[in-house]
Amino acid sequence: MTARRNTPVALIRDAAPFAIRAERGSDVVAREALLDACFGPNRHTRTCQRLRDGRAPAEGLSLAAVRQDGRLVGTVRLWHVSAGGRSALMLGPLAVDDDCRGLGVGAALMQRALAVAKARGHGALILLGDAPYYARFGFTAAKTGELSLPGTFERERLLGLELVAGALDGAWGMITPTGAPLPEAKASRTRSRTRKAPLAVPHAA
């Protein structure tokens, strides 16, 4: 008699109610409205915006979270900067629609962004955000204490993550933008947008 063998059964989890994909041109209006909701209509005057104005995001590192009906519910972008002479990416803004709180949208955007950045050979990321939230992804203030931003900021919110060990060793001085310039017409349109939508979370400037 042949003994019956226990056959493992794969547990199929419910599909996530959103998908992470590359940002598209058709996302612009919804993305800007979401950012206005998250950071307010004065977001274009914030310190980190000075590193983004007139610059293109890093290639392949503008991501969107969308519901099954196509509605954009999350966004994150990364930008080329020099961190005191060290090449790095500045992460932000990160925003998630309030209706999707608790679904893991922010975490999914972060994980995809980190994976793509690493796959593209980037060595380090920097952001200005809430340390308790970003600690889960490995961000700390351990190597950002000698760095500065072009404006006022809270020191404890300036965080860094090394994708390559030692990428931020000795980083000192002002963080400056190094990304490719946008055509002036497009840059002007970006600065002038002030649309509104429901409150969004979490915040990374």
Side-chain angles (χ1 to χ4, degrees):
M1 181 177 178
T2 303
R4 294 183 62 185
R5 305 175 79 179
N6 292 327
T7 303
V9 178
L11 299 177
I12 301 175
R13 299 181 59 185
D14 292 337
F18 61 89
I20 306 298
R21 60 162 171 74
E23 184 182 287
R24 300 172 182 170
S26 58
D27 295 328
V28 171
V29 172
R31 184 195 70 226
E32 293 299 308
L34 182 59
L35 293 176
D36 283 346
C38 185
F39 297 103
N42 67 338
R43 64 184 174 87
H44 294 286
T45 66
R46 289 174 173 247
T47 296
C48 284
Q49 188 62 36
R50 301 180 191 182
L51 300 174
R52 302 189 285 258
D53 278 341
R55 303 282 177 167
E59 185 177 355
L61 285 164
S62 294
L63 304 175
V66 294
R67 297 294 297 262
Q68 293 175 344
D69 62 3
R71 183 168 66 95
L72 185 141
V73 295
T75 178
V76 69
R77 285 173 148 195
L78 285 80
W79 312 76
H80 291 288
V81 297
S82 170
R86 299 283 184 170
S87 178
L89 294 171
M90 191 82 181
L91 187 147
L94 169 68
V96 176
D97 193 287
D98 191 51
D99 289 343
C100 295
R101 183 183 299 196
L103 297 181
V105 176
L109 283 166
M110 287 294 298
Q111 289 162 358
R112 180 67 64 83
L114 296 182
V116 174
K118 186 171 184 178
R120 287 179 172 269
H122 296 289
L125 286 81
I126 293 171
L127 61 81
L128 191 65
D130 299 329
Y133 179 84
Y134 292 102
R136 74 183 77 177
F137 306 108
F139 284 86
T140 74
K143 294 190 177 180
T144 58
E146 300 299 323
L147 293 171
S148 298
L149 289 169
T152 59
F153 69 98
E154 299 171 75
R155 168 62 58 189
E156 67 275 10
R157 289 169 55 84
L158 185 58
L159 311 173
L161 169 66
E162 292 182 331
L163 299 176
V164 175
L168 291 176
D169 283 355
W172 180 91
M174 185 66 67
I175 298 172
T176 56
T178 58
L182 283 175
E184 181 56 33
K186 186 174 181 181
S188 297
R189 288 196 301 271
T190 299
R191 289 193 295 267
S192 66
R193 292 188 185 101
T194 55
R195 298 180 176 89
K196 296 184 179 180
L199 180 64
V201 292
H203 291 178

